């Protein structure tokens, strides 16, 4: 569970409610069911004009990733790649075939399989990079839909406000209702802003960060596989992969992987 996302959801609601209460308003004053229909419902159904039914409904599964943490095992990856490199230099490339089926990482297994089969390094790079590009393209389908939902929110919020103002102007003879009706009309603008700036906009950014982290781990695998295929010294391989880590994490594991 990603605690940061829970903090964002709960904290965002708390701050908004606190702002309403301290300004002399009431929680009930910002809750309006028709405004929710227009803003949330209208912006959601617009997504079906942007993409297929399957992708729009699948977007919710993608959004669920915001509430999970993912560890791509960069530390263990470096240690495993160094061990594989040492084995290849000591026993030969073909020795890597033993134990390939025990690897959990399908991307790494695919790369090492091509190395064992004697595939040219440029071909290996081309295939693995294409697989990375296709993975990112799949991720971006859901991310783009979340981003579009965030963009549609304020527009439908303004649309709801206009609808409310039209209803208010049609009932101008009732002076006592002008203030409450104006408040209800503006609630949809509030909802649209919340969708964009508190919910779906930040969610899209977190999904982008997760995509970047996964791509970085794949790049490390690609670099390690090509280094093994080229017969690089395991120490050189470790130094290459350590450059992908932040300085603090690098310092923690550097002593182990670069020891003599």
């Amino acid at each position: 569970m990603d605690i940061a996302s829970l903090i964002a959801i709960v904290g965002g609601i708390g701050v908004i409610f606190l702002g309403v209460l301290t300004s002399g308003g009431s929680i009930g004053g910002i809750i309006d069911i028709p405004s929710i229909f227009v803003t949330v419902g209208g912006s959601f159904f617009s997504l079906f004009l942007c993409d297929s039914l399957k992708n729009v409904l699948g977007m919710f599964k993608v959004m669920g990733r915001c509430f999970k943490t993912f560890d791509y095992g960069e530390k263990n990856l470096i240690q495993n790649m160094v061990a594989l490199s040492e084995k290849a230099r000591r026993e030969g490339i073909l020795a890597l075939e033993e134990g390939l089926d025990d690897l959990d990482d399908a991307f790494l297994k695919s790369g090492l399989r091509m190395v064992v089969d004697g595939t040219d390094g440029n071909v290996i790079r081309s295939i693995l990079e294409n697989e990375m590009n296709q993975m990112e393209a799949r991720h971006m389908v859901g991310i783009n839909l979340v981003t579009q939902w965030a963009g549609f929110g304020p527009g439908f919020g303004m649309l709801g406000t206009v609808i409310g103002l039209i209803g208010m102007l049609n009932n101008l003879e009732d002076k006592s209702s002008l203030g409450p009706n104006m408040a209800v009309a503006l609630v949809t603008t509030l909802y649209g802003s919340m969708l964009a700036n508190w919910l779906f906009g930040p969610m899209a950014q977190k999904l982008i960060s997760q995509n970047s982290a996964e791509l970085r781990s794949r790049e490390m695998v690609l670099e390690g596989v090509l280094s093994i295929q080229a017969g690089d010294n395991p120490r050189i391989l470790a130094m290459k992969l350590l450059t992908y880590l932040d300085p603090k994490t690098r310092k923690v594991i550097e002593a182990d992987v670069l020891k003599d």
Side-chain angles (χ1 to χ4, degrees):
M1 178 67 70
D2 190 338
I3 302 300
S5 293
L6 291 179
I7 292 174
I9 298 296
V10 176
I13 293 176
V15 167
I16 291 170
F17 283 0
L18 183 62
V20 171
L21 294 175
T22 55
S23 64
S26 66
I27 301 302
I30 63 169
I31 297 177
D32 184 64
I33 301 303
S35 297
I36 294 175
F37 286 154
V38 172
T39 309
V40 180
S43 58
F44 172 68
F45 286 113
S46 292
L47 297 176
F48 290 97
L49 287 173
C50 300
D51 213 321
S52 66
L53 177 66
K54 176 183 176 182
N55 288 338
V56 173
L57 296 181
M59 173 188 63
F60 292 102
K61 183 177 180 181
V62 175
M63 292 167 64
R65 291 175 60 91
C66 291
F67 299 94
K68 299 177 183 178
T69 56
F70 296 91
D71 182 7
Y72 299 105
E74 288 92 345
K75 300 177 187 178
N76 292 333
L77 175 61
I78 294 176
Q79 294 171 337
N80 292 338
M81 295 301 288
V82 170
L84 289 169
S85 178
E86 290 173 344
K87 182 177 181 179
R89 284 172 63 88
R90 183 175 60 251
E91 303 176 25
I93 290 292
L94 294 179
L96 297 179
E97 187 170 12
E98 179 184 356
L100 274 184
D101 293 334
D102 297 330
L103 293 175
D104 296 328
D105 190 335
F107 188 73
L108 173 59
K109 185 188 298 185
S110 174
L112 290 177
R113 176 67 66 186
M114 287 187 285
V115 170
V116 171
D117 291 342
T119 308
D120 181 74
N122 290 329
V123 175
I124 295 175
R125 177 180 292 277
S126 176
I127 293 174
L128 294 185
E129 284 184 344
N130 185 60
E131 186 169 342
M132 290 166 58
N133 291 337
Q134 296 307 312
M135 181 197 75
E136 183 176 26
R138 291 191 298 271
H139 289 176
M140 291 309 298
V141 171
I143 293 173
N144 287 335
L145 282 170
V146 177
T147 302
Q148 288 166 337
W149 199 353
F152 291 152
F156 274 88
M158 185 59 65
L159 178 62
T161 298
V162 172
I163 293 173
L165 290 176
I166 292 173
M168 184 186 70
L169 292 175
N170 285 331
N171 195 31
L172 281 178
E173 65 275 6
D174 185 2
K175 304 298 183 182
S176 63
S177 67
L178 290 181
N181 287 340
M182 174 65 79
V184 171
L186 292 176
V187 164
T188 54
T189 300
L190 171 66
Y191 290 164
S193 181
M194 289 172 62
L195 290 183
N197 300 297
W198 165 61
L199 201 56
F200 300 133
M203 275 188 172
Q205 290 302 312
K206 174 157 283 191
L207 291 171
I208 290 173
S209 297
Q210 291 178 352
N211 175 68
S212 298
E214 187 168 358
L215 277 177
R216 184 174 64 249
S217 70
R218 293 291 180 92
E219 289 173 1
M220 292 175 67
V221 170
L222 171 59
E223 191 67 46
V225 166
L226 292 177
S227 187
I228 291 174
Q229 193 265 348
D232 289 343
N233 186 293
R235 186 179 182 87
I236 298 300
L237 182 151
M239 293 176 66
K240 287 181 179 180
L241 299 186
L242 283 170
T243 60
Y244 287 90
L245 304 180
D246 62 87
K248 183 177 180 180
T249 306
R250 186 188 311 175
K251 187 175 181 180
V252 171
I253 66 172
E254 193 170 20
D256 291 332
V257 298
L258 293 181
K259 63 183 178 182
D260 296 327

